[in-house]
């Protein structure tokens, strides 16, 4: 390793060759402001906010893009630097819709912070904001407001580098330059998967999720409506960030209390339907394996791939429409929940399903779209009436004026409120796989999966694609055909990695039986509906919290959830049975690629 | 007439199924019909295994790669300072009069689109314009009428 | 005119040697390092406008270890007021291709491109004819180097070498962060030499007449001859080859119409020189030039001139970096506001300050150079901006 020495604001520092000035400054706790820079993305160097002065150079250098050189003498806060930065922030403001008070990102906006820090004078320059920009609200999931865009291209890079979707591009040039979809078509007409990763990385309010919380408040206030809320596993490990907690704090009990205090009629858990997913999907996998291994049925597609992540589902529909047979037919836990809320739950509670409003609190932007897919009405009603993000939900708690930190911890209501640790870990990449293996192994062999504390560590972690194989030994008689089979599984997160997996499948070279794919980096804990900002460190802390939550659960295998046993006994009959087929399974459609 | 798919095939054969084939493909389509249609972009994206948005984003960067339908002849009048000094405004007016369209429009018969362009590199012989790729220099309102008449006759 | 130091020369457009590509053939008998040293010795600087010593650039490329290298001739001259490259490619393309081939010989590059701006598309058939002759000659001389034409698509910023490379790679012509420079990491990530058309033509002429003879032209700090594209209020519009080192007054005397009020040197990215500064050298301090020279007489409104420039910049900025994308719009709107009385005259000073910020913070030469014409016009013709 070659190192170089340089000076930053008078401090001499030694760094590895290739380190940027920005990274070097960070090492000695010198904060340089940035806008287009994002840790998850490649360097753009286009906003120019991070400029610094290098002695003996007339021009300033963009610290995010310029590597430190031996002997550099850098000033990060000279008058020349401050004046230039102020000019640049002023220019961005002059191009910006400065109606901050009505912006969803008010108080959580990087441009606003910088404008305040540099005390930008709004009258310094003339407004060059383009008149008559309309907001694209065509998508169920994502809103695009060009009047708030600072053209940093973080969204473009996110969509390209992390997701390999490239639904967004920079278009035109000069003063006409803007961020656009193909032919500037509305979001709902293009290849967008609704994953919302662009929203997570947008420094301003240009890209936001579509908000539905007003309708939810409306329903809560309506005495004739019975509002049922379910919250996804990863919400409880991230919500606290919006309410004054350190990243990685679990707030499950307070979250449940908050919902109750907000006036929600029944506070239930998506983790319950996560457990149910494991039963249905596990059985689907075993059935496919049986048909392939035992019956030699060539029409059955392996590997089977999970379908919990609606961003991923839309991705495969657009990008690999000829391989939809690999997707599990299981609905996602959100949609299973919705279908059961207006059938099983309604029946048990004696409530007319037409009066039930089912609301899902999700870490996700794509869940909004999923809830509105036309086929998601198997209960006879819209199965999920509203899908909210963690961010919207955090805002609702603030609106309700709750002193969140001082709320007591309470438990979910019943029925459909009981869950296991296996349901919880759905929130992190690898979790669905781990939960499925815990149950499938137990079902097939009658024994616990051979990993300490049920923690199947090979499928955990942050590598984009992780593979494992488990040898099945000592099968129960009915599963004899699986004796000695090496079950090859893989886990992928981030759609760029999904594409790698799918390219293998399309080429007929996939060696796997079962694959978990999550659209978002890190899985749901890094979902497009989670609190902003996001980075690897934040995602790691949320993941840690998820596994803590799992360890804290008395039951950690889905098939041991008593409410699951109950629902099969009292309502569904059997996994993959007639009712399951109607309510818990779905189909997919081919989509175009632009 | 050459099919778009043939153009793509030919350029991919020449440059590989790589991004660097993109501009040659777009240019060839523009040479063929003066603009690139939505469906052409989708087809190109598929052929090069890139996103249609990327094709659009790239095309829209360049002023000669039109993504909206244009006439058979695209007239680009140079608007740089020297051409302006030499009477570009009168030339433009003459064009608008004879074509009966405003700047940015296409004639009803689909024959001519009237555009402006930044420097054409003909500053010593301005005012200048291109009709498709053919340069015309030292324009006057009279010469403009003659040139347009010539094109009209050519079509007849 | 005894005092007039303006000297015309006729090197670049001089007739070809008898046999095609004879200079190339002869140069290939020389040691590669000798050729490079001769170029360095000649003092030739890039003729596109940035003025980097050409010989050094070649030396760096020769030192790169990669087996795959590219030579690109930048014929994307889009600077308003520039048209010399067009004339070179029409009249003496052989000299341009010779220069590229000599570069290939000394650096080991095997592939060359002529990046031809879209506006010059009508030249392609005749250039291809010449390229056939070239490629055949190169083969005959045992030089493994082929040149083909890459047509631009209409973007001024692609004259910036990294934007040009991006564009060749099929992308939007957005300039890259530097470092790395194209010499290390250029087209397709490979070492790449990008030189202007005139630069290549000049190198082949230096190889023909020798560094000493070339160096004898011009003055001590500005060697050689230079093509000037002259347009505007001049009875002698066109391309003229002149020895470097003349004063602007000499130039105006020769090319002006007798009523010259200002001269724009180096195209719109250059400086606007008012009459009171005509006694300075045409290439003053930091005043390198691509040779575009526009002459304005006293009937011209300098407000209109500046407005035209700014309109150009605001359209031709690639749009990726803040100071250039928004700054150019602010300067344009700003002078309009002052002219219409919506902003006070003192706002012009704020705008000059902004243009200086653009100079030190923009990503590439486009945004960095807007201040040249902007500040020089505002400072020298302030009244015209206000009234």
């Amino acid at each position: 390793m070659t190192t170089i020495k340089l000076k930053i604001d008078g401090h001499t520092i030694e760094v590895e060759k290739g380190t940027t000035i920005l990274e070097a400054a960070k090492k000695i706790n010198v904060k340089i402001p940035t806008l287009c820079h994002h840790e998850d993305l490649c360097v753009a160097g286009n906003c120019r906010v991070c400029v610094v002065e290098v002695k003996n150079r007339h021009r300033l250098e963009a610290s995010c893009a310029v590597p430190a050189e031996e002997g550099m003498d850098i000033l990060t806060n000279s008058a020349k630097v401050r004046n230039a930065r102020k000019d640049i922030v002023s220019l961005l403001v002059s191009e910006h819709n400065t109606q901050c008070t009505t912006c969803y990102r008010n108080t959580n906006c990087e441009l606003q912070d910088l404008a305040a820090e540099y005390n930008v004078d709004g009258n310094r320059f003339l407004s060059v904001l383009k008149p008559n920009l309309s907001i694209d609200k065509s998508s169920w999931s994502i809103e695009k407001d060009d009047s708030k865009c600072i053209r940093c291209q973080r969204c473009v890079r996110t969509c390209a580098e992390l997701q390999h979707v490239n639904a967004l591009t920079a278009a035109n040039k000069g003063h006409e330059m803007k961020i656009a979809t193909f032919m500037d078509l509305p979001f709902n007409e293009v290849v967008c998967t609704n994953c919302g990763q662009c929203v997570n990385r947008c420094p301003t309010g240009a890209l936001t999720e579509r908000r539905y919380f007003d309708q939810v408040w409306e329903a809560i206030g309506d005495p004739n409506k019975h509002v049922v809320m379910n919250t996804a596993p990863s919400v409880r490990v991230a919500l606290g960030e919006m309410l004054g907690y350190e990243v990685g704090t679990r707030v499950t009990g307070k979250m449940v209390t908050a919902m109750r205090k907000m006036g929600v009629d029944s506070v239930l858990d998506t983790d319950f339907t996560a457990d149910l997913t494991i039963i249905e999907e596990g059985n689907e996998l075993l059935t496919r394996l049986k048909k392939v291994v035992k019956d030699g049925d060539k029409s059955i597609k392996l590997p089977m791939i999970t379908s919990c992540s609606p961003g991923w589902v839309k991705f495969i529909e657009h990008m690999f429409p000829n391989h939809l047979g690999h997707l599990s037919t299981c609905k996602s836990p959100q949609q299973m929940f919705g279908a059961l809320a207006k059938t099983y739950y309604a029946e048990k509670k004696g409530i007319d399903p037409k009066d039930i409003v089912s609301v899902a609190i999700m870490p996700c932007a794509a869940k909004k779209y999923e809830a509105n897919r036309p086929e998601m009405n198997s209960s006879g009603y819209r199965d999920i009436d509203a899908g909210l993000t963690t961010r919207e939900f955090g805002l609702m708690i603030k609106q309700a004026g709750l002193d969140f930190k001082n709320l007591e911890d309470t438990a979910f209501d019943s029925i459909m409120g009981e869950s296991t640790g296996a349901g919880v870990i759905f929130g992190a990449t690898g979790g669905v796989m781990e939960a499925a293996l815990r149950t499938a192994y137990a079902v097939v062999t009658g024994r616990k999966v051979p990993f300490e504390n049920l923690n199947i560590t090979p499928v955990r972690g942050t590598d984009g694609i992780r593979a494992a194989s488990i040898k099945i030994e000592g099968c129960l008689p009915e599963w004899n055909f699986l004796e000695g089979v090496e079950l090859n599984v893989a886990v992928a997160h981030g759609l760029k990695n999904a594409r790698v997996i799918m390219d293998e499948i399309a080429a007929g070279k996939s060696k796997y039986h079962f694959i978990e794919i999550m659209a978002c980096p890190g899985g749901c804990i890094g979902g497009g509906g989670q609190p902003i900002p996001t980075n690897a460190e934040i995602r790691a802390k949320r993941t840690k919290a998820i596994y803590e939550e799992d360890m804290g659960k008395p039951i950690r295998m889905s098939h041991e959830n008593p409410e699951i046993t109950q629902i099969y006994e009292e309502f569904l009959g059997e996994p993959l049975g007639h009712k399951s087929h109607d309510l818990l399974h779905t189909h997919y459609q081919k989509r175009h690629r632009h | 007439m050459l099919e778009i798919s043939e153009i793509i095939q030919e350029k991919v054969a020449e440059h590989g199924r790589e991004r660097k084939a993109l501009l040659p493909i777009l240019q060839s389509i523009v040479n063929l019909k003066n603009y690139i249609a939505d469906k052409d972009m989708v087809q190109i994206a598929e052929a090069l295994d890139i996103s249609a948005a990327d094709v659009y984003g790239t095309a829209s960067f360049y002023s000669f790669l039109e993504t909206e339908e244009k006439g058979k002849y695209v007239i680009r009048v140079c608007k740089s300072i020297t051409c302006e000094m030499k009477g570009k405004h009168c030339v433009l007016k003459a064009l608008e009069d004879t074509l009966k369209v405003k700047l940015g429009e296409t004639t009803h018969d689909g024959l001519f689109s009237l555009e402006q362009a930044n420097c054409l590199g003909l500053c010593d012989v301005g005012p200048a314009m291109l009709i498709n790729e053919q340069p015309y220099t030292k324009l006057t309102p009279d010469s403009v009428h003659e040139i347009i008449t010539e094109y009209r006759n050519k079509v007849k | 005119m005894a005092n007039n130091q303006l000297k015309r020369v006729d090197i670049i457009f001089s007739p070809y040697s008898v046999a095609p590509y004879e200079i190339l053939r002869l140069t290939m008998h020389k040691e590669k390092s000798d050729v490079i040293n001769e170029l360095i010795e000649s003092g030739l600087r890039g003729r596109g406008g940035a003025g980097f010593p050409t010989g050094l650039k070649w030396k760096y490329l020769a030192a790169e270890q990669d087996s795959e290298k590219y030579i690109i001739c930048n014929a994307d001259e889009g600077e308003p007021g520039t048209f010399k490259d067009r004339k070179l490619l029409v009249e003496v393309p052989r000299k341009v291709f010779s220069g590229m081939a000599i570069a290939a010989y000394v650096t080991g590059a095997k592939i060359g491109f002529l990046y031809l701006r879209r506006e010059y598309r009508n030249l392609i058939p005749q250039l291809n004819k010449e390229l056939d002759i070239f490629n055949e000659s190169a083969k005959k001389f045992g030089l493994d180097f082929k040149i083909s034409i890459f047509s631009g698509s209409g973007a001024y910023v692609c004259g910036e070498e990294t934007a040009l490379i991006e564009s060749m790679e099929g992308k939007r012509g957005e300039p890259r962060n530097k470092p790395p420079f194209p010499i290390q990491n250029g087209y397709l990530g490979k070492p790449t030499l990008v030189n202007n058309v005139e630069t290549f033509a000049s190198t082949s002429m230096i190889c023909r007449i020798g560094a000493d003879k070339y160096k004898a032209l011009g003055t001590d700090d500005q060697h050689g001859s230079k093509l000037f594209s002259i347009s505007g209020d001049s009875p002698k519009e066109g391309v003229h080859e002149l020895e470097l080192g003349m004063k602007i007054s000499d130039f105006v005397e020769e090319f002006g119409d007798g009523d010259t009020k200002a001269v724009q040197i180096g195209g719109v990215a250059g400086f606007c020189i008012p009459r009171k500064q005509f006694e300075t050298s045409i290439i003053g301090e930091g005043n390198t030039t691509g040779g575009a020279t526009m002459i304005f007489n006293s009937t011209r409104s300098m407000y209109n001139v500046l407005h035209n420039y700014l309109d150009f910049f605001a359209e031709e900025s690639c749009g990726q970096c803040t100071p250039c994308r928004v700054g150019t719009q602010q300067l344009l709107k700003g002078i309009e506001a002052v002219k219409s009385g919506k902003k006070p005259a003192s706002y012009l000073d704020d705008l000059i300050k902004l243009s200086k910020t653009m100079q030190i913070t923009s990503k590439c030469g486009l945004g960095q150079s807007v201040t040249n014409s902007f500040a020089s016009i505002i400072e020298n013709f302030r009244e015209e901006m206000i009234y």
Side-chain angles (χ1 to χ4, degrees), chain A residues 43-49 51 58-62 65-67 69 80 83-85 87-92 94-95 123-130 150-151 153 169-178, chain C residues 154-157 172 174 177-180 311 313-330 333-335 337 342-343 347 350-351 353-354 356-364 368:
Chain A
V43 169
N46 58 25
C47 78
R48 315 307 280 181
V49 163
V51 287
H58 173 58
R59 281 200 293 272
L60 303 179
E61 299 284 4
V66 173
E69 287 168 29
K80 188 173 173 183
N83 287 336
R85 280 194 199 142
D87 274 358
I88 290 166
V89 178
S90 303
L91 289 176
L92 287 169
S94 79
E95 193 186 32
N123 293 321
R124 166 94 196 279
F125 296 125
L126 300 156
S127 171
V128 291
L129 173 65
K130 295 266 176 300
I150 60 166
R151 294 150 180 87
Q153 303 196 43
T169 177
N172 308 330
K173 66 169 177 281
H175 61 99
E176 302 276 359
M177 187 271 205
K178 62 176 291 189
Chain C
Y156 166 67
V157 72
R172 295 165 56 80
E174 294 177 348
N177 290 306
K178 283 170 279 185
D311 193 52
F313 284 129
E315 277 184 18
E316 292 295 339
S317 162
C318 82
Q320 68 168 325
C321 88
T322 311
C324 183
R325 178 187 69 250
V326 194
T328 50
Q329 295 177 65
Q330 284 298 347
K333 279 214 161 188
I335 65 162
K342 283 193 195 109
K343 282 274 187 188
Y347 191 57
D350 293 341
L351 294 176
K353 211 176 134 244
L354 170 63
K356 301 285 179 202
T357 295
M358 290 164 66
Q359 181 184 39
I360 59 172
T361 59
S362 291
K363 193 167 183 172
C364 83
Q368 290 162 6

Side-chain angles (χ1 to χ4, degrees), chain C residues 10-260:
Chain C
D10 188 14
I11 297 175
I12 289 190
F13 291 108
S14 63
Y16 288 146
S17 47
V18 190
Y21 295 98
E22 186 65 7
I23 303 168
L24 171 62
R25 195 183 65 82
L26 293 173
T27 306
M28 283 177 65
H29 290 305
K30 296 184 192 164
E31 283 297 320
K32 295 173 182 180
S33 55
D34 290 348
V35 178
I36 290 175
N37 287 336
E38 181 142 32
L39 265 189
I40 294 174
E41 184 57 25
S42 77
L44 177 67
R45 286 170 176 272
R47 296 308 196 204
F52 192 83
T54 307
L56 274 183
K57 216 173 183 179
W58 289 27
K59 190 177 173 177
Y60 295 152
L61 185 73
E64 287 292 324
Q65 290 305 315
D66 213 303
S67 62
E68 201 180 328
K69 298 178 187 177
Y70 295 96
I71 305 281
I72 298 173
C73 176
N74 183 350
D76 196 49
E77 61 171 354
E79 190 73 47
T82 314
F83 42 88
K84 64 183 175 68
D85 293 349
R86 177 178 198 120
K87 189 172 159 86
L88 284 168
L89 291 171
V90 169
E91 296 186 11
V92 288
R94 194 166 290 176
K95 295 185 182 178
V96 179
F97 298 147
S98 294
M100 292 175 72
I102 293 166
Y105 164 67
V106 299
T107 62
K110 294 183 177 61
I111 297 175
F113 294 102
L114 174 71
Y115 187 101
L116 184 71
R117 69 183 302 221
R118 167 72 203 209
E119 290 81 351
Y120 294 172
R121 228 191 124 72
N122 66 317
L123 306 184
I124 289 181
Q126 69 192 71
L127 284 170
N128 271 333
K129 261 187 220 155
E130 180 59 35
L131 276 179
D132 288 344
I133 302 174
F134 167 78
N135 287 325
E136 204 175 293
S137 306
K139 208 166 148 193
K140 206 166 70 192
F141 304 155
L143 181 69
D144 181 8
F145 179 65
K146 251 193 124 138
I147 300 174
S148 53
I149 295 173
F150 190 97
S151 174
S153 303
Y156 166 67
V157 72
C158 288
E160 199 277 349
E161 57 183 6
T162 61
L164 180 149
I165 289 169
E166 285 284 299
S167 150
M168 284 185 61
E169 291 179 359
K171 299 181 222 150
R172 295 165 56 80
E174 294 177 348
R176 296 175 177 174
N177 290 306
K178 283 170 279 185
F181 293 91
I183 285 290
Q184 290 101 39
N185 185 340
Y187 181 55
L188 305 178
K190 298 293 176 186
T192 303
L193 172 80
V194 184
N195 270 147
N196 166 263
V197 175
E198 185 185 347
T199 312
F200 279 123
S202 301
T203 57
S204 72
M205 293 327 292
I206 289 166
C207 289
R208 177 163 159 184
I209 66 175
D212 290 344
K213 211 165 163 193
Y214 187 80
K215 208 178 166 183
L217 300 168
T219 57
D220 284 349
D221 52 347
Q222 295 163 17
H223 299 296
S225 67
K226 172 88 196 77
L227 296 182
F228 286 85
S229 310
I230 294 166
S231 63
D233 295 316
S234 163
K236 298 176 181 169
E237 289 179 282
V239 177
H240 300 268
E241 185 175 7
L242 304 172
E243 254 185 76
L244 286 171
M246 87 288 279
K247 283 191 292 186
I248 297 171
S249 54
D250 302 334
F251 188 89
V252 167
E253 198 173 317
E254 172 73 15
F255 296 107
D257 63 358
D259 185 25
T260 303

Side-chain angles (χ1 to χ4, degrees), chain A residues 495-566:
Chain A
L495 293 172
K496 132 181 119 171
N497 298 309
R499 190 185 284 280
V500 175
I501 294 275
M502 286 313 298
D503 281 339
E504 271 179 18
I505 291 175
K509 287 180 184 158
S510 183
K511 58 176 188 218
Y512 304 114
H513 298 101
F514 185 40
I515 302 172
E516 175 205 297
I517 295 182
M518 293 292 157
C520 295
C524 302
I525 53 96
Q530 294 283 45
I532 296 170
T534 184
N535 60 40
E537 191 187 334
I538 291 172
R539 292 191 293 273
K541 285 182 177 168
R542 293 178 188 159
T543 304
K544 189 164 165 274
I546 282 272
Y547 289 116
E548 282 167 10
E549 185 94 353
D550 169 34
M551 286 302 281
K553 285 277 195 181
I555 306 172
R556 297 182 53 231
M557 290 190 288
S558 299
H559 59 287
E560 292 183 351
N561 181 341
E563 284 198 345
I564 293 289
T565 316
Q566 186 190 2

Side-chain angles (χ1 to χ4, degrees), chain B residues 20 33 40 47 54 58 77-79 96 125 155:
Chain B
K20 69 180 162 75
K33 58 174 189 178
D40 304 336
D54 280 346
T58 305
V77 181
C78 180
K79 61 173 178 166
E96 286 181 336
V125 284
V155 183

Side-chain angles (χ1 to χ4, degrees), chain A residues 362-422:
Chain A
M362 294 285 142
C364 190
K367 288 281 173 195
K368 293 169 185 288
Y369 171 79
E370 185 186 33
N372 286 292
R373 287 176 77 117
E375 66 273 21
M376 292 297 176
N377 59 355
S378 44
S379 62
Y381 302 88
R382 189 94 309 248
D383 293 340
I384 290 287
D385 293 288
L388 304 189
T389 60
T390 311
R391 295 187 290 265
E392 286 172 277
F393 182 53
L395 195 65
M396 285 180 82
I397 292 174
K398 289 180 188 168
Q399 289 169 355
L402 298 175
D403 178 7
F404 190 80
K405 276 194 163 175
N406 288 313
L407 294 180
E408 54 176 340
D409 288 345
T410 56
F412 287 101
D413 291 322
S414 179
I415 49 176
M416 294 171 61
E418 182 71 49
S419 70
T420 72

